[in-house]
Amino acid sequence: MNSQKLMAVARAMVAEDKGLLAMDESTSTCNKRFAGLGIPQTEEARRTYRELILTTPGLGECINGAILYDETIRQQKKDGTPFVKVITDAGIIPGIKVDTGAEDMAGHPKEKITEGLDGLRGRLAEYFQLGARFTKWRAVITVGDGIPSRGCIEANAQALARYAALCQEAGLVPIVEPEVLMEGEHTLERCCAVTEEVLRTVFDQLYTQRVTLEGMILKPNMTLPGLTCPKQDSVDEVADATVRCLLRAVPAAVPGIAFLSGGQSGELASARLNAMNVRFKSRLPWALTFSFSRAIQQPALEIWQGEDGRVLAAQRALYHRARCNRAACRGEYHTAMEMRRE
Ligand code: 13P
């Protein structure tokens, strides 16, 4: 492992107030989103959609890295150009999701454990050969009555740390993604307490497993009230709570924090990220950026609907969200941006 190279890639992933584009939906998740819009759930439809995303003009102005899925990293444009070449030609670093999904955790009703460590060393070597320079692994933490349990938090944190160590050994920058879910009635305060406990446990395990913090990126949830919580806090309250939580739990050696969107609307995700950067950017040790999937892709997918004639309009919608999020990284996003699309 060359630590200098790893650190350079990690810094490049969050440089220049740009972010990451998550387009690593598993086949089943992608099919579910297609089914909701009446788009055929075929390999060719998924390939066409991913080509639409990756050929969006100007994407590299806002995006440093794209997270692909196993099927996607092996695919090509219709004209035969490999997706990995399309991405790198656009100045974007290719990355890959390497966990194999969250399964029910034995002995822990309603909780999940993420799998994918078996055989991971071999898969990482192949992904590096295919051109990937970073990876992603997502752990899922559910908030509810009596959960999350210590058992669930510790098992997921250890898996994240073992994954991260294997990635760095293979010369790949790990994105470490412990996601505390939005589903539930819990308050913002509860989400903060759970997120802080999860992050402290994750960093404890990363240290134990000898992961180089300068050569990784953290992908956490913003701290948010549960979707069905009667009290929905303001954008500024969410921004303050999220940054306070991260300052307590994330070491300064980590170069960047790239949020997942977790089911927030595109506008709210941009507004909250923006508020964090407006209020705190000059005082933070790490870059605060985005690694959204739904909050960046959803409008484009809804416009496309599988129709060739709608590709350009869908690409404009994707570029618009990418620009809004880059502005949010600079603290320059404003809701007026949603009115005048360029
Ligand atoms: P969302 O932004 O849709 O939450 O997806 C991010 C992601 O990569 C989940 O693993």
Side-chain angles (χ1 to χ4, degrees), residues 22 24 136 138 177 179 219 260-263 291-295:
D24 59 326
K136 187 195 99 170
R138 170 176 176 254
E177 181 180 9
E179 174 173 8
K219 176 165 174 170
L260 60 94
S261 60
S291 176
F292 300 155
S293 160
R294 281 163 288 179

Side-chain angles (χ1 to χ4, degrees), residues 32 119 144-145 174-175 182 187 210 233 242 282 284 315:
K32 241 181 266 159
D145 262 354
I175 296 180
M182 275 167 78
T187 59
R210 302 179 176 166
D233 304 81
T242 302
S282 61
L284 298 176
Q315 288 181 327

